[in-house]
Amino acid sequence: EEETTWAKERLVMIDPIGRCLSYEIIENNVGFKSYVATFKVMQVDGYDDQVCRIEWSFVSDPVDGWKKEDLESYVDFCLKHMVNKMELHL
């Protein structure tokens, strides 16, 4: 049986004019000791407000026992999950 991963997050900053927000993980069972991420909604040149690009960046301490590929796989999973949630609400 696969263990469910979880993270408790806290909103650090929200900028409605700049269309961005930052959050940090404050508790988790994944192994993150320090993790802060920023989402920014950016307009795509040549399109109206109905088309945008979402930029997600983060800074994290290494997770004990993880290789670079492990972090990449986890981030890929999280991104796909977020995209699926966003598509459900369009």
Side-chain angles (χ1 to χ4, degrees), residues 25-71:
I25 292 178
I26 55 176
E27 293 178 39
N28 69 96
N29 71 343
V30 178
F32 289 106
K33 293 180 182 72
S34 173
Y35 177 96
V36 178
T38 302
F39 275 92
K40 184 166 186 162
V41 179
M42 305 172 79
Q43 187 169 347
V44 177
D45 291 339
Y47 291 91
D48 59 20
D49 286 340
Q50 299 298 314
V51 177
C52 64
R53 182 178 84 226
I54 298 174
E55 182 179 279
W56 177 39
S57 60
F58 67 92
V59 176
S60 173
D61 285 341
V63 175
D64 290 341
W66 281 20
K67 296 179 270 183
K68 181 179 181 252
E69 296 80 19
D70 298 328
L71 179 59

Side-chain angles (χ1 to χ4, degrees), residues 15 61 79:
D15 177 0
D61 285 341
L79 282 172

Side-chain angles (χ1 to χ4, degrees), residues 10-27:
R10 177 175 60 191
L11 185 62
V12 175
M13 178 276 300
I14 188 165
D15 177 0
I17 295 169
R19 302 190 323 177
C20 69
L21 64 85
S22 293
Y23 67 94
E24 66 181 338
I25 292 178
I26 55 176
E27 293 178 39

